[in-house]
């Protein structure tokens, strides 16, 4: 599947654009489709990049749980680009790819622990429109994770909602980042 670019990719021909493309290729092996879309508004792109660097430093929540929550949210929205990139990041971080592959169908899979299931149910409840988070969900996660990790989990799901909704609306689709993984990308729907 290729991106349909509902918001067309901006030409990236300036010296600054060439530097961003070169840095993207070094980091990811290719230029993510989101970059030329956001290049229409470089001030916004710089702000998003700075924010994402800061988000990447958060470490109160277990990396596996964070990955599962982010991908469960992306799958709920139907963002194949986010799932594709999420697989790539999980692979790059040395996470359990077998489990990561199962996130879009976590309810039917037997590879997840009860806590992992609670985290993904919470991510889906936050992602629903309107949200369906319950007091019981929060209390259970608070007991299992502690306040700091729960706050991080909640913000990670909110951040992924922003990412996935932007990418889906912009027409971005799986770009082949997950090709580095041993397991193929799961269907979103």
């Amino acid at each position: 599947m290729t991106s349909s670019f509902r918001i067309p990719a901006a030409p990236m021909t300036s010296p600054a654009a060439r530097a961003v493309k070169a840095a993207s290729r070094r980091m990811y092996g290719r230029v993510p489709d989101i970059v030329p879309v956001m290049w229409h508004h470089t001030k916004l792109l710089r702000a998003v990049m700075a924010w994402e660097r800061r988000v990447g430093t958060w470490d109160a929540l277990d990396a596996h749980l964070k990955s599962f929550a982010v991908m469960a949210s992306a799958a709920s929205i139907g963002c194949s680009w986010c799932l594709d990139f999420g697989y790539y990041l999980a692979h790059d971080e040395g996470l359990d790819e077998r489990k990561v592959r199962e996130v879009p169908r976590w309810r039917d899979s037997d590879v997840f622990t009860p806590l992992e299931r609670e985290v993904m149910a919470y991510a889906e409840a936050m992602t629903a429109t309107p949200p369906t988070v319950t007091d019981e969900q929060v209390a259970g996660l608070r007991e299992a994770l502690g306040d700091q990790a729960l706050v991080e989990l909640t913000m990670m799901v909110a951040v992924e909602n922003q990412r996935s909704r932007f990418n889906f609306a912009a027409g971005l689709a799986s770009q082949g980042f997950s090709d580095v993984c041993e397991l193929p990308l799961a269907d979103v729907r």
Side-chain angles (χ1 to χ4, degrees):
M1 176 184 305
T2 59
S3 296
S4 63
F5 289 105
R6 291 182 186 120
I7 301 172
M12 296 184 68
T13 55
S14 70
R18 288 193 297 275
V20 168
K21 289 186 340 188
S24 294
R25 285 188 192 102
R26 274 193 309 278
M27 291 171 60
Y28 309 117
R30 67 191 79 186
V31 178
D33 285 346
I34 192 172
V35 174
V37 169
M38 286 193 171
W39 195 257
H40 288 291
H41 194 317
T42 55
K43 192 183 292 186
L44 181 142
L45 175 62
R46 283 192 303 275
V48 168
M49 289 170 57
W51 168 249
E52 289 289 353
R53 278 192 300 275
R54 288 188 176 180
V55 168
T57 67
W58 300 345
D59 61 1
L61 181 63
D62 173 79
H64 284 89
L65 294 177
K66 188 181 303 189
S67 181
F68 299 157
V70 164
M71 293 183 72
S73 177
S76 291
I77 292 169
C79 183
S80 67
W81 192 95
C82 296
L83 285 174
D84 179 42
F85 196 67
Y87 283 16
Y88 168 82
L89 291 176
H91 171 81
D92 201 45
E93 294 168 13
L95 302 182
D96 186 340
E97 291 178 28
R98 182 179 56 95
K99 282 189 173 184
V100 170
R101 164 116 175 98
E102 293 295 312
V103 170
R105 56 180 163 266
W106 68 269
R107 290 184 190 281
D108 300 321
S109 178
D110 60 0
V111 300
F112 297 106
T113 68
L115 177 58
E116 291 166 345
R117 290 177 177 286
E118 284 181 59
V119 164
M120 290 183 284
Y122 182 68
E124 285 185 357
M126 277 188 64
T127 303
T129 304
T132 59
V133 174
T134 66
D135 292 344
E136 294 78 21
Q137 281 180 307
V138 174
L141 287 169
R142 188 172 181 221
E143 184 176 321
L145 301 174
D147 290 339
Q148 186 179 21
L150 178 56
V151 168
E152 184 172 319
L153 169 63
T154 303
M155 186 54 76
M156 283 308 307
V157 174
V159 167
E160 185 54 37
N161 267 262
Q162 175 188 350
R163 293 169 179 152
S164 291
R165 291 177 189 280
F166 179 92
N167 293 343
F168 186 89
L172 304 184
S174 173
Q175 202 177 333
F177 284 100
S178 62
D179 293 350
V180 300
C181 305
E182 292 180 17
L183 300 169
L185 182 67
D187 289 332
V188 178
R189 297 231 183 242

